[in-house]
Amino acid sequence: MNLYAWLEAHAKERPDKVCIKNREREITFAEFRDATRRLAASLKEAGLKPGDNLSMVLPNIPEFVIAYVAVAGMGATVVPINPAYTARELAHILDDSDSKGIILEKGAMESYREVLEERALKIVITTGEEGNFRQWLSAAPMDLGEDFPPDTVASMVYSSGLTGYPMGAMLTQGNLDHNSDLMRTMMDCSHQDMTLTVIPLFHSFSASVNMLSMLNYGGTIYLMKRLDFKELAGAIHEAGITAICAVPTLFFGLIHHPDVQGVDYSKVSTLIAGGSALPLQIYNDFKEKYHQDIRQGYGITEASPVCSVNRKHRVIKPETIGQTVAGVEVMVVDDNGTPLPAGQHGELLFKGANIMKGYYKRPAETSEIIKDGWLYTGDLGYVDSEGYITITGYKKEMVITSGFNVYSREVEGVLNAVPGVKDSAITGVPDLMRGAIIKAYIVRDNHNLTEQEIKQFSRKRLASYKNPRIIVFVDEIPRDAHGKVILSELP
């Protein structure tokens, strides 16, 4: 098995078809294949070997897709990283993943300069007009397509799982082959489709449904580096977008933003919401305005990530996350791990070809989350008599904001390191556009400490979406006998 084999097949069958498209450029399958093989050759000359890990800190640009396929195609592992991460967050992943190199935008070099100099990486590739990416495409193209075992790790996505600190979820060639085909088996997509790729590709949801699905089928990936509603409207009108798979925040914008009013969605045959819960109000408002259904699904990084969706040709239950996808089973268990019948609430477990190989160098944590092949998600819910799944809460302490999981332990660890902070706790405040925003409760032992000082400290150490938007000072954080915060007793 080799994900690159898709590219080789399509480059022969439809060499002149556009594979990657954005506002500035188009890349055909033949051009994409050539760039991928050249980059792989240069990486091999630089010492990257099968089984090695290479970090990528890139937005949605063609270089992301080229590098992803080149690295996976030679049997190495892509480590996609959020470009919004601070130097502190990047340093942790580079060290924990044993990355042999990094690909990033030239403009980001200054922000990460100290981190990169301390590690003296042999492979540092930069994109942009002043970057060296083009130089890395100057090597003679190498042959790719070697057959690897299905459990060969192709991508390692950092997730906090149930622990609260980032760990590398190892997603295999087999995992990604399974998940990339769900747009066909669940949504009838084919080589004629074009995905609007505005969710960042470092997010496993976007990598699977927007990028890998089109590479699998021979479709087209329309890349947006950042959300621009005018460009988005033009892409739907002129580029031929047929599938929009995004977080609920985007669909909220499609309803209300002035630049996308009057857009005709009649040729957009697939609309999927994932990453966080789709508010019923957004579903209803979108359908009333555009006469199209948004099909809610569910995924978790450790499952590559898609587990369920309200698939086509079946009744939509918009308040649910649908039924399990092909090749995946679901089970609900109580606190003792005992299976529960339909309709009863408990923790959601999934099993199938999508479940990760494990956490990198973390056998103990892996054994906590995967037992007898079942992935313990930490999400609470129930399954009805027809197999539709409803999420009711989270066993893990986290907040989902704009499709990103923010774990309480990580944020509270940073807040507790602020000089003058004695204790802290975070929670989510419901927000229709983002799903939730983060609210922090702070106990001070220095009453001169201000909200602004706390936010400044946090912003230097955490990605923007992890930072509290609301801070409330309290005298103490109420906790139960196990040390868990009693949020109901906080203002």
Side-chain angles (χ1 to χ4, degrees):
M1 179 174 291
N2 190 330
L3 302 183
Y4 168 80
W6 303 335
L7 176 56
E8 187 68 31
H10 296 311
K12 290 178 180 177
E13 183 177 347
R14 44 181 70 89
D16 298 325
K17 181 179 179 181
V18 174
C19 174
I20 304 171
K21 181 181 179 67
N22 63 16
R23 184 163 50 187
E24 291 83 23
R25 57 195 288 208
E26 295 181 347
I27 299 174
T28 66
F29 275 101
E31 292 168 336
F32 181 26
R33 175 188 58 186
D34 184 63
T36 298
R37 293 173 63 194
R38 290 179 182 278
L39 178 59
S42 290
L43 290 171
K44 183 177 180 180
E45 290 175 6
L48 192 71
K49 305 182 301 296
D52 285 345
N53 303 325
L54 183 75
S55 288
M56 281 198 324
V57 194
L58 293 176
N60 289 2
I61 55 177
E63 290 84 352
F64 184 107
V65 189
I66 293 167
Y68 192 107
V69 178
V71 174
M74 60 190 298
T77 301
V78 177
V79 184
I81 300 173
N82 188 341
Y85 275 5
T86 64
R88 166 188 167 274
E89 291 167 311
L90 174 65
H92 166 74
I93 295 178
L94 287 176
D95 292 342
D96 189 78
S97 67
D98 300 314
S99 283
K100 304 299 183 183
I102 189 170
I103 306 176
L104 73 166
E105 288 192 294
K106 178 68 173 180
M109 285 290 292
E110 193 57 39
S111 299
Y112 298 133
R113 185 171 302 282
E114 185 175 344
V115 170
L116 299 179
E117 288 176 351
E118 287 175 353
R119 281 148 190 84
L121 298 171
K122 292 183 178 180
I123 300 172
V124 178
I125 304 175
T126 54
T127 65
E129 291 185 5
E130 297 182 2
N132 63 8
F133 191 87
R134 291 176 186 172
Q135 298 171 28
W136 284 78
L137 299 182
S138 60
M142 69 176 283
D143 289 332
L144 291 174
E146 177 184 347
D147 198 26
F148 301 117
D151 68 346
T152 301
V153 181
S155 178
M156 191 155 71
V157 184
Y158 270 74
S159 165
S160 295
L162 303 184
T163 63
Y165 51 88
M167 299 176 293
M170 297 184 288
L171 308 182
T172 67
Q173 297 257 353
N175 291 154
L176 299 178
D177 179 69
H178 166 273
N179 236 240
S180 68
D181 200 28
L182 297 178
M183 290 287 279
R184 177 183 64 84
T185 57
M186 302 293 103
M187 295 293 159
D188 292 343
C189 289
S190 70
H191 68 276
Q192 297 178 324
D193 280 285
M194 180 186 296
T195 52
L196 177 70
T197 308
V198 64
I199 306 178
L201 284 170
F202 62 78
H203 197 298
S204 56
F205 174 42
S206 190
S208 173
V209 301
N210 288 326
M211 178 179 73
L212 294 177
S213 66
M214 293 300 98
L215 294 180
N216 190 340
Y217 309 147
T220 301
I221 308 160
Y222 187 96
L223 296 174
M224 289 187 67
K225 186 174 181 179
R226 60 183 61 85
L227 179 57
D228 180 322
F229 282 104
K230 283 188 177 180
E231 179 187 350
L232 191 154
I236 295 173
H237 279 308
E238 301 164 16
I241 299 296
T242 62
I244 300 176
C245 306
V247 294
T249 302
L250 178 69
F251 292 105
F252 179 89
L254 295 181
I255 296 167
H256 299 287
H257 199 281
D259 289 339
V260 287
Q261 302 310 301
V263 170
D264 180 7
Y265 291 92
S266 61
K267 295 182 181 179
V268 181
S269 56
T270 301
L271 293 158
I272 299 176
S276 61
L278 175 68
L280 195 56
Q281 182 178 337
I282 292 179
Y283 171 85
N284 288 332
D285 289 350
F286 192 92
K287 184 166 186 178
E288 180 180 354
K289 188 167 188 174
Y290 298 116
H291 312 292
Q292 290 271 50
D293 287 301
I294 303 173
R295 298 174 181 274
Q296 183 172 198
Y298 166 88
I300 178 172
T301 298
E302 290 80 357
S304 308
V306 184
C307 296
S308 69
V309 71
N310 278 276
R311 65 180 75 178
K312 286 186 179 177
H313 311 304
R314 294 192 183 180
V315 173
I316 293 178
K317 296 186 179 182
E319 72 280 8
T320 77
I321 56 172
Q323 300 163 310
T324 54
V325 297
V328 175
E329 303 173 58
V330 64
M331 180 165 62
V332 181
V333 300
D334 63 17
D335 289 340
N336 298 316
T338 304
L340 298 172
Q344 291 199 19
H345 295 243
E347 182 176 0
L348 295 172
L349 280 57
F350 292 95
K351 186 178 189 178
N354 58 336
I355 305 306
M356 69 172 182
K357 188 172 185 175
Y359 290 123
Y360 184 62
K361 302 187 300 187
R362 307 274 185 176
E365 289 86 346
T366 299
S367 64
E368 289 179 15
I369 197 172
I370 302 177
K371 301 174 184 178
D372 298 322
W374 288 97
L375 177 71
Y376 284 65
T377 66
D379 294 321
L380 303 174
Y382 64 92
V383 182
D384 70 16
S385 59
E386 296 179 296
Y388 287 80
I389 307 163
T390 298
I391 299 285
T392 58
Y394 310 108
K395 189 174 183 179
K396 50 200 174 189
E397 296 180 356
M398 72 173 192
V399 178
I400 300 181
T401 178
S402 299
F404 295 103
N405 292 355
V406 178
Y407 291 87
S408 302
R409 187 180 300 182
E410 181 183 8
V411 178
E412 290 164 6
V414 169
L415 295 176
N416 291 341
V418 177
V421 170
K422 183 178 180 181
D423 197 6
S424 68
I426 70 164
T427 188
V429 177
D431 181 88
L432 184 60
M433 186 175 74
R434 299 180 181 87
I437 57 175
I438 297 173
K439 179 179 182 179
Y441 297 96
I442 302 290
V443 179
R444 296 176 290 184
D445 53 19
N446 172 9
H447 289 277
N448 293 320
L449 181 65
T450 67
E451 176 180 335
Q452 186 61 29
E453 288 172 327
I454 294 171
K455 288 183 175 180
Q456 286 178 347
F457 185 96
S458 177
R459 281 195 289 264
K460 291 179 181 179
R461 292 159 177 82
L462 294 171
S464 57
Y465 66 90
K466 299 179 185 178
N467 283 283
R469 291 177 175 268
I470 303 170
I471 290 180
V472 177
F473 293 111
V474 294
D475 293 331
E476 64 176 343
I477 305 290
R479 301 180 188 274
D480 62 18
H482 302 287
K484 188 174 181 180
V485 177
I486 307 173
L487 290 172
S488 60
E489 295 184 10
L490 286 166

